[in-house]
Amino acid sequence: MPRIHIVLPPVADAPPPATLPGSFTDLRPHTIDPFLALAKAADLAGLSGIVVPHDSEGPEPLVTAAGLLRATRHVTVFAGIQPWIATPQYTAKLSASLQRFSGGRFGWYLDDTAESAAFVDTARDFWHRPDGLPDVLSEHPFPHVATAGESGTAHLDVAGLEPDAVIALIEERRGADIAEFFLAVGHDPGEIYRIGEYVLPVLSQEKEPARVG
């Protein structure tokens, strides 16, 4: 069965909170951060991972990923990494700390460029070499690395789609040796729960080979 990850939507696309007339006293409980709501939905729905992409109008992905790792128990949380934000060595140290406290559930999400590949290679070398990370950090696994556009993956925009439509999009690509699907979703946690309830059971069924003759 392919692994299913969700890609968090841009912060700017979030719907504004509902407001009450001035004559009413707002006794509603404080609303949960929308990213936390989506992450918890993905965790409970049995999905494999969450991608916090780089968003120039949103929070810093590494910091956001740290918060989502704390709020979840099972999913891998990928932070969108821009190689020019920090050195590979410093990013490796931050990532090793997140790996240590999350049980190895942290990952990197990068563009498919030569610069990104060099960044990962340099960070991985620093992680494992004797004069690199301290032993207390290097004993943890290097972050999971996902690259946008790499072979064996598919990126689909499923925001607002019903489960049947999501299944149809995925089934169109299952025969192309796709091991991981990255699904761009909207701000409704209900979409995530429906993927877990309706889409994952269908994908877990083995497809019967076509009969000849």
Side-chain angles (χ1 to χ4, degrees):
M1 173 177 162
R3 293 181 292 277
I4 306 296
H5 312 285
I6 62 167
V7 180
L8 296 182
V11 171
D13 293 345
T19 57
L20 297 177
S23 57
F24 288 82
T25 300
D26 193 349
L27 299 178
R28 295 172 298 181
H30 179 70
T31 56
I32 187 174
D33 180 271
F35 280 0
L36 284 176
L38 294 173
K40 289 182 176 182
D43 205 41
L44 292 173
L47 304 188
S48 297
I50 305 162
V51 176
V52 186
H54 174 72
D55 181 1
S56 59
E57 298 183 8
E60 208 289 317
L62 278 168
V63 177
T64 303
L68 300 187
L69 285 166
R70 183 179 182 184
T72 56
R73 299 181 59 187
H74 307 291
V75 291
T76 299
V77 180
F78 297 85
I81 300 295
Q82 297 291 314
W84 44 266
I85 288 292
T87 66
Q89 293 82 1
Y90 184 67
T91 306
K93 187 171 184 179
L94 286 175
S95 301
S97 301
L98 290 175
Q99 286 288 69
R100 179 184 184 188
F101 292 109
S102 69
R105 293 189 294 115
F106 179 61
W108 291 359
Y109 186 79
L110 304 99
D111 292 329
D112 187 13
T113 65
E115 184 182 19
S116 294
F119 184 91
V120 172
D121 289 344
T122 302
R124 196 188 302 273
D125 175 70
F126 178 73
W127 190 290
H128 295 296
R129 74 188 191 204
D131 60 341
L133 286 177
D135 290 342
V136 69
L137 295 178
S138 63
E139 65 183 9
H140 301 283
F142 191 79
H144 309 274
V145 177
T147 304
E150 69 179 320
S151 61
T153 68
H155 294 69
L156 306 174
D157 185 353
V158 302
L161 297 183
E162 292 297 324
D164 287 347
V166 177
I167 292 170
L169 284 175
I170 293 176
E171 290 288 5
E172 288 177 2
R173 294 159 176 80
R174 286 186 74 185
D177 295 326
I178 303 298
E180 296 185 279
F181 285 91
F182 292 86
L183 308 182
V185 298
H187 285 271
D188 179 12
E191 291 185 18
I192 314 304
Y193 288 117
R194 288 190 289 273
I195 291 173
E197 183 176 0
Y198 298 109
V199 178
L200 292 188
V202 173
L203 298 182
S204 66
Q205 300 173 6
E206 292 292 335
K207 301 181 73 174
E208 294 186 5
R211 296 184 179 181
V212 179

